[in-house]
Amino acid sequence: MAVRRAIGIVLASALLLGSLAGCTRPASQGAETKPGQGAGSTTEAGQKATGKTIVVGLQAEPTNLDPAQISDYNSSRAADGMFDRLVRFKDGSTELEPGLAESWDISQDGLVYTFHLRKGVKFHDGTEFNADAVKFSIERQIDPNHPYHNTGEFAYADFTFGKVKEVRIKDPYTVEIELKEPYAPFLSNLAIHAASIVSPEAVKKYGKDFTKHPVGTGPFRFVRWTPGVEVVLEKNPEYWKGAPKIDQVIYRPVIEDQARLTEFEAGQLDFIVGIPPEDLARLKQNPQYEVQEQPGMHVWYVVLNATKPPFDNPKVRQAVNYAVNRKAIVEQLLRSTGVLATGPLPPVVWGYTKDVPQYPYDPEKAKQLLAEAGYPNGFSAEFWVPESGSGMQQPREMATAIQADLQAVGIQTRIQTFEWGTYLDKVMGDKSSLPEMFEMSWIGDNGDPDNFLHYLLASDQAPPNGFNLGYYSNPKADQLLKQAQRLRTQAERQPLYEEALKLLVADAPWIWVDHETQIVAYKKSIKGFQLHPTGVFRFETVDIQP
């Protein structure tokens, strides 16, 4: 989604104008303020929040609220509560459970998925959820002839629905989805944000402006988006799983980690991410706050542009991996708020193996490989870095550390820094203008190794199909990853991913540094919150108690 979901890609970076959706009511209507509930929270222009309100400090401005277009984590976190999918991840895991589909059947050949839909569910605009809405939400993304295909840029469509051959309505509450070929991750992909079911009538009404008027079936309804200030959601009292206990969730971008922490401790924010590592221990000792941590489905890395010399040479890519003291970055700069990476796949995702080539800090080995590659005196490289961004940890400080280590082996890097939205546009933009190196991170969408290894490193996933941003290619790894997609069980797929991982690590398409631990801090009055491995925040069962 990086989130990732991640962490991803923004195809429409211009700041979007916020406005009230016609179907919503004012956030304060019907709400009652009680002592200790939303205390200290403020809305736009410093207005006191009303009712039970949680104000979340994000690391960057959301860039889109249409779930089919979202490909960065801040947007996903702000929008997730407004939408449901056919299936959903269970609380605290990536195991699947029924969502808008009460049950499903899969044909013996793995090609046809039949979904039996939940009845009586309404979109926030009052229209009915049914099989037509499922077909509309899928075909809008993948059919270029669909009348509403031009309502967005769907960066995840190939990943989520690229294997879909046909969507058939069997009756108002039964949908068949036929695939072109067996595809093991398909059901898990239906639980990610891009597979959200949207209101067809809202898309027809607002067109490309649906992102400013998002309408789903989720536990929270859209109120307003004021770019650079806040996204405000209110509870959906008619939610099919029962109304949330809190009245509002407000997502507020505060780019600087220290500024976000200062606002939190001053009571202006109730819930924060991106805590400066040096302040974490102090925060844990404060009885006013809760701090939750969880191993993350995350990887932080520097993309080495395989389309340009010198990084079209594997020896140079291996050399820079030996040259960077990644252990020092993790332990000293990040204060062990992440786990040292041995490759692109986090240890918490199945398919992982430690049995891969290792790149310990070894400047002399780096110099040797550079000489063998024809660069005995090093070289110069452009190095792009974002100011902030979900999953980006300490992007400028980490870049400076990497720059110093590379300089020690003769590689001179010129760091250029960009605002997050601008940065994502540039790294997903014109291939010919990409620099030799740029930072990126990824937070897994579905707990499947395909979501890391295929989506980030397969040849056929170069933009615009996927997120192989360095245009790296390894035909043998491609073959293994494709083969793994066609098998149905983890036991069958595991050895293929392990073999592919060894090849990818040996080829060193990135400098991988660490897998960040998910860490959030929030006021003690917030009860019942639980981190989710996908990194989205679920507030539908959370309460606020004095």
Side-chain angles (χ1 to χ4, degrees), residues 3 79 181 223 312:
V3 171
E181 58 188 59
V223 176
D312 56 348

Side-chain angles (χ1 to χ4, degrees), residues 6-7 59 73-74 77 298-301 388-394 398 420 440-443 514 516:
I7 312 187
Q59 291 169 290
Y73 227 1
N74 290 290
R77 282 171 164 162
H298 166 274
V299 59
W300 192 102
Y301 54 100
S388 64
S390 47
M392 290 310 301
Q393 300 179 278
Q394 308 290 311
M398 294 167 83
W420 179 233
M440 188 50 63
S441 75
W442 183 260
I443 301 174
D514 79 310
E516 184 185 20

Side-chain angles (χ1 to χ4, degrees), residues 366-424:
K367 291 177 183 175
Q368 175 197 328
L369 288 169
L370 288 172
E372 291 174 9
Y375 297 94
N377 300 315
F379 54 86
S380 297
E382 202 80 16
F383 186 10
W384 285 0
V385 175
E387 292 176 347
S388 64
S390 47
M392 290 310 301
Q393 300 179 278
Q394 308 290 311
R396 285 178 287 196
E397 293 84 351
M398 294 167 83
T400 301
I402 290 169
Q403 181 184 48
D405 286 344
L406 294 182
Q407 185 173 358
V409 299
I411 300 172
Q412 310 298 323
T413 56
R414 296 182 299 276
I415 291 177
Q416 281 197 66
T417 306
F418 302 93
E419 180 275 330
W420 179 233
T422 303
Y423 181 81
L424 292 175

Side-chain angles (χ1 to χ4, degrees), residues 68 85-86 113 115 117 130-144 146 148-149 154 156-158 160-169 175-179 186 189-190 194-198 200 203:
R85 275 71 76 176
L86 292 177
Y113 290 67
F115 294 95
L117 307 183
N130 54 26
D132 287 326
V134 175
K135 184 177 173 68
F136 181 98
S137 296
I138 297 173
E139 293 185 344
R140 170 193 177 220
Q141 295 191 45
I142 60 173
D143 180 2
H146 190 276
Y148 296 94
H149 181 67
F154 308 113
Y156 261 82
D158 186 69
T160 313
F161 299 125
K163 304 292 186 188
V164 173
K165 178 181 179 182
E166 186 178 6
V167 183
R168 296 186 288 267
I169 296 176
V175 175
E176 275 187 1
I177 301 177
E178 182 176 355
L179 304 185
F186 181 64
N189 288 355
L190 293 185
S196 295
I197 307 301
V198 301
V203 173

Side-chain angles (χ1 to χ4, degrees), residues 34 50 83 124 136-138 146 168 175 266 306 310 337 339 349 366 417 440 487 496 535:
K34 297 179 180 178
T50 56
F83 297 93
H124 302 156
F136 181 98
S137 296
I138 297 173
H146 190 276
R168 296 186 288 267
V175 175
T337 53
V339 176
V349 176
T417 306
M440 188 50 63
L487 301 175
L496 298 177

